[in-house]
Amino acid sequence: EDQVTQSPEALRLQEGESSSLNCSYTVSGLRGLFWYRQDPGKGPEFLFTLYSAGEEKEKERLKATLTKKESFLHITAPKPEDSATYLCAVLSGSARQLTFGSGTQLTVLP
Amino acid sequence: NAGVTQTPKFRILKIGQSMTLQCTQDMNHNYMYWYRQDPGMGLKLIYYSVGAGITDKGEVPNGYNVSRSTTEDFPLRLELAAPSQTSVYFCASSPRDRKDLAEAFFGQGTRLTVV
């Protein structure tokens, strides 16, 4: 059974204070690892797809990296508008749908 | 464009009652999905549809039913509501079958409480 664990559950940063969110996973044959942003009262917004260890993707202040056991979402010089819950999900070889982690709630204080 | 519209936004049901969550999209997308999101968790797929007249089960279909008589509408029916169905329900649509949800448009969600 695919498993995804995200840490920390919640993170408070000062504006400009860089940090990383962790997503560790156990799957049988990874087809892809995905990062999403979810604002309160809204559905998830797709951010990145990573397919193989060593791969990196960047978007504005966000950078996602992937190893064989975990992924990191690095946030550089965050702003208050980056406050949201960040979800990680995996798709394994035999799965018909995504397996999600429980998310990291990020708060960036001005 | 309105995108994906879900109604109602909030609902409280008593155990054993039934209700229909409405979802409509105006983007002419073939693919539509129903997810549930429990507190502090990610999404779980309930049902999906690849086009009018075609539906299939997701990961957690028990206690739910769907229909897809038109491209635009994809209602989710709860029969005999149970406390375990307390959740936030999201409807989504996509122009293609994207399991990664990369091109999915989501509704605002329906917060359902069963008491």
Side-chain angles (χ1 to χ4, degrees), chain A residues 34 36 38 41 96 100 102, chain B residues 37 40 43 48 56 100 108:
Chain A
F34 313 97
Y36 305 87
Q38 186 173 22
R96 294 170 59 186
F100 278 86
S102 55
Chain B
Q37 185 174 31
L43 303 178
Y48 66 98
D56 204 352
D100 62 5
Q108 293 289 305

Side-chain angles (χ1 to χ4, degrees), chain B residues 7 60 65 98:
Chain B
T7 56
V60 290
N65 272 301
R98 291 294 301 266

Side-chain angles (χ1 to χ4, degrees), chain A residues 13 15 27 55 57-58 60 67 72 87 90 97-98 103:
Chain A
L13 300 174
E15 184 172 2
V27 299
E55 190 174 359
K57 293 274 180 73
E58 285 190 67
E60 297 180 355
T67 72
F72 292 94
L87 297 170
V90 296
Q97 56 267 323
L98 299 167

Side-chain angles (χ1 to χ4, degrees), chain B residues 14-57:
Chain B
K14 293 185 178 179
I15 294 172
Q17 286 185 322
S18 300
M19 76 164 293
T20 299
L21 281 66
Q22 301 291 345
C23 175
T24 186
Q25 53 95 3
D26 61 1
M27 297 171 283
N28 202 34
H29 288 168
N30 285 328
Y31 294 85
M32 296 189 74
Y33 311 86
W34 275 106
Y35 289 90
R36 61 176 287 173
Q37 185 174 31
D38 298 324
M41 302 296 289
L43 303 178
K44 290 188 183 291
L45 182 64
I46 306 171
Y47 270 96
Y48 66 98
S49 169
V50 302
I54 306 170
T55 63
D56 204 352
K57 297 178 181 179

